[in-house]
Amino acid sequence: MRTKSRGLIDFISTLGSHAPGAGINVADLSTRINNLEVRWTTFEDQMEAFNEMIAIQKTALKVRLEEHVMEQNQAIDKFAERWRTLRPTELEHWDLDSVNATFDNLHEPQTASQQRLARDR
C-alpha cells in the first residue's frame, strides 16, 4: 500500500510538471509527500503496538481458559467421586424395608443440598 501511494504521488508530480495550467504547486506537493511518509511511519508504529497488544491479550486469554478448564476438570472429578460414593447399590433383599431404606438414602443428599441452598440464601 505504501508503494502504491508513493507511485501515485510520483505520477501526480510528473503530471503536474508536464500539464500546463494545472496550477499544482510543487513545493506544496513535496510537503505533502514528506507528510505522507511521516503518517505511514506513524501508522506502522501504531499497527505494531496494536499487534503486540493483541498478542498479550491472546496469551492472557489462553491462561484464563486453561484455568477454567482445570477448574471444570476438578469439578467433574469431584462429581464423579461423589457419584461413586453415593451411587445406590444393588439390593440383596427385595423386602419392603430394604426398598424404603434405598429410597431414603437416595433422598438424603437431595434434602441436604436443598437445606444448604435455603441456608445460603
Side-chain angles (χ1 to χ4, degrees):
M1 195 68 166
R2 191 176 193 169
T3 56
K4 285 185 179 182
S5 65
R6 178 54 117 171
L8 184 61
I9 289 172
D10 291 342
F11 176 71
I12 290 173
S13 64
T14 304
L15 183 64
S17 64
H18 294 332
I24 295 177
N25 185 358
V26 178
D28 183 44
L29 188 59
S30 65
T31 304
R32 286 185 180 186
I33 290 171
N34 291 335
N35 188 19
L36 185 62
E37 287 297 320
V38 171
R39 289 177 58 197
W40 269 115
T41 305
T42 303
F43 175 74
E44 287 174 348
D45 291 343
Q46 289 174 347
M47 282 297 296
E48 185 177 332
F50 179 77
N51 288 335
E52 288 176 8
M53 181 186 65
I54 293 295
I56 291 169
Q57 288 180 351
K58 185 178 172 183
T59 304
L61 285 174
K62 279 184 181 179
V63 168
R64 284 181 48 200
L65 183 62
E66 289 172 357
E67 289 172 355
H68 287 296
V69 166
M70 288 173 43
E71 288 173 6
Q72 292 304 315
N73 285 337
Q74 289 174 351
I76 290 169
D77 291 341
K78 285 180 184 178
F79 176 78
E81 184 60 34
R82 241 185 14 237
W83 171 250
R84 277 188 227 97
T85 59
L86 297 176
R87 179 177 47 191
T89 57
E90 273 201 43
L91 291 176
E92 295 176 12
H93 305 286
W94 284 89
D95 60 297
L96 185 59
D97 291 334
S98 297
V99 172
N100 285 336
T102 301
F103 278 105
D104 289 341
N105 289 338
L106 287 174
H107 290 294
E108 281 179 19
Q110 183 179 10
T111 306
S113 66
Q114 287 174 350
Q115 288 173 352
R116 269 187 267 132
L117 285 174
R119 184 182 60 216
D120 291 341
R121 287 182 188 173

